[in-house]
Amino acid sequence: AHPDRPSGARNGDAVLDGSGQPTSWLTSNLVALGLAGLVAIVAAGVLVGWALGWPLLTSWSAGAVQTKVNAGICLLLLAVALASVVAPLPGRASQVLAVGLGLIVVAVAGATLFEHLSGVDLGIDQAFVTDRASASSPHPGRFAVQTSIAFLSAALALLAMGRTVRRVYPSEILGIVCGCIGGVGVLGYMFGATALASASSASQVSIPTSCALALLGTAVITANPEHRVVRLLSDPGAAGQVIRVFLPSAILVVPAGAWLRLWGERAGLYDETIGLTLMVAFEALILTSIGAWTTLRVQRL
């Protein structure tokens, strides 16, 4: 057995597809490819929105901060690079493509981060489209600080894909960083806490960028079936049974309970105390039910 592989994922237990590869590899690659496709669609929509002057395609909400052109380009390049890693072309074409696109994103994101930290305008923000300043975007054409960090994380993850440092995959850690930045932005817009989309910065991450970064981080994690999270999710044993149920539940149930509480309070259905009580009761009931169901499955296993 692999020294890092969960106990339930033994070599003898692997189910192979028609090409002789474990089905977990095929599933992981398909998921990563599908997520990369969604990121590419978001990026293409942003670029089309700027080209045709349709702000709703760049912000998804009237009056919200728009996704910058440079951000749309970086998202598109990262999606293509990720697809070339997951579904490689013959020869070294995929490796050259992934490295080349990744380095371009590193250069753009690194330069933008330098602009934020130093206050120096390098002239790259409006290289393609003229933008105007706003309260949530004081630097025309420049995407936010945390967007720069997320792009750097995703690009470096693609460049380091498959490599380990002391049996740890840096690409997995960098993918988690990218996904968390996007996830925090999504939660900020979901609950109306736009401060989470700015992270003490004058510039905010847009709604399309937040969603795309969350998808991109997940795609980076699933791009390598040897990443620890993917191995756990594909483990046929007890560990896999538990995490496949609890991970989606934790990601979906807790935010859903908080959103329902906030919605009811804003609608005047109940006050803060009752809302908090209902949220705790809802989450406790759902998670307890999921825990009991999972325990019975593990017991039968």
Side-chain angles (χ1 to χ4, degrees), residues 142-242:
R142 185 183 304 175
F143 50 78
V145 174
Q146 57 270 41
T147 304
S148 303
I149 297 173
F151 284 157
L152 284 171
S153 299
L156 293 175
L158 292 177
L159 295 175
M161 189 67 68
R163 296 176 174 85
T164 60
V165 177
R166 295 185 177 181
R167 299 168 66 181
V168 175
Y169 286 93
S171 53
E172 184 174 20
I173 298 174
L174 292 169
I176 292 174
V177 171
C178 176
C180 287
I181 291 175
V184 168
V186 171
L187 290 177
Y189 283 107
M190 183 178 176
F191 297 125
T194 53
L196 292 176
S198 60
S200 301
S201 172
S203 301
Q204 289 184 4
V205 183
S206 67
I207 301 175
T209 301
S210 297
C211 295
L213 290 177
L215 294 173
L216 183 62
T218 307
V220 169
I221 295 171
T222 57
N224 186 354
E226 285 300 319
H227 284 163
R228 186 175 294 273
V229 173
V230 181
R231 292 206 311 269
L232 284 173
L233 287 171
S234 59
D235 178 25
Q241 294 279 358
V242 173

Side-chain angles (χ1 to χ4, degrees), residues 63 65 72 75 83 92 95 104 141 147 157 178 189 201 218 258 267-268 289:
V65 61
L75 286 172
R92 295 174 54 87
Q95 182 179 0
I104 293 175
T147 304
C178 176
Y189 283 107
S201 172
T218 307
S289 301

